[in-house]
Amino acid sequence: MVRPVDLRDYVRFSQASATRVRVFATEVLTIDLWCLEPQQETTVLSYEDVDVAYTVIGGHGWFVTDEGEIGLAALGSILVPAGSPHAIDNRHADPLVVLASAAPPDVTLDALVEDTPVSDAGEAVFQDGS
């Protein structure tokens, strides 16, 4: 089943910590949004059997890996191979939103549970002719 979404409906920030929101989950792929307030960072992330591609869709982020640090602006992307420890760091004054595509999904208990959207405005989704 094809299911379009407006990613803006899934953006969710927390003053307490970086937030991961699961947008899509299948047996072969997961799509998450990481939302970080200024000066927030994720814990160290490492997935033994999962490749993850991160794409900055808003803000500026630093990706800290065992190979060094890589800064990315909006539409910059990075591939983190399975087994590579890494973290996402927002060192800027603006919020950071990162799209994470993982394959195959991490096999943790909640791997295939999708979060509900914060809104259902769906402004980016339109029908043919709209």
Side-chain angles (χ1 to χ4, degrees), residues 2-67:
V2 175
R3 184 166 48 110
V5 299
D6 186 335
L7 292 176
R8 292 174 291 191
D9 294 340
Y10 289 83
V11 173
R12 188 176 302 155
F13 291 97
S14 168
Q15 293 294 325
S17 64
T19 304
R20 180 195 55 84
V21 180
R22 174 76 25 104
V23 178
F24 294 123
T26 71
E27 293 180 4
V28 296
L29 176 71
T30 56
I31 303 294
D32 296 331
L33 285 183
W34 279 98
C35 304
L36 291 83
E37 292 281 8
Q39 308 311 310
Q40 284 183 339
E41 60 190 13
T42 66
T43 59
V44 174
L45 307 167
S46 184
Y47 309 104
E48 285 308 310
D49 300 315
V50 179
D51 292 331
V52 184
Y54 295 99
T55 302
V56 174
I57 57 175
H60 295 82
W62 284 92
F63 295 80
V64 182
T65 72
D66 54 354
E67 297 178 19

Side-chain angles (χ1 to χ4, degrees), residues 54-122:
Y54 295 99
T55 302
V56 174
I57 57 175
H60 295 82
W62 284 92
F63 295 80
V64 182
T65 72
D66 54 354
E67 297 178 19
E69 298 183 353
I70 300 101
L72 295 175
L75 301 182
S77 192
I78 182 173
L79 175 65
V80 179
S84 298
H86 59 284
I88 306 169
D89 189 352
N90 183 2
R91 301 176 186 172
H92 290 267
D94 297 321
L96 172 64
V97 179
V98 176
L99 179 76
S101 305
D106 185 16
V107 291
T108 59
L109 184 62
D110 297 328
L112 298 181
V113 176
E114 296 177 358
D115 291 315
T116 57
V118 176
S119 165
D120 62 358

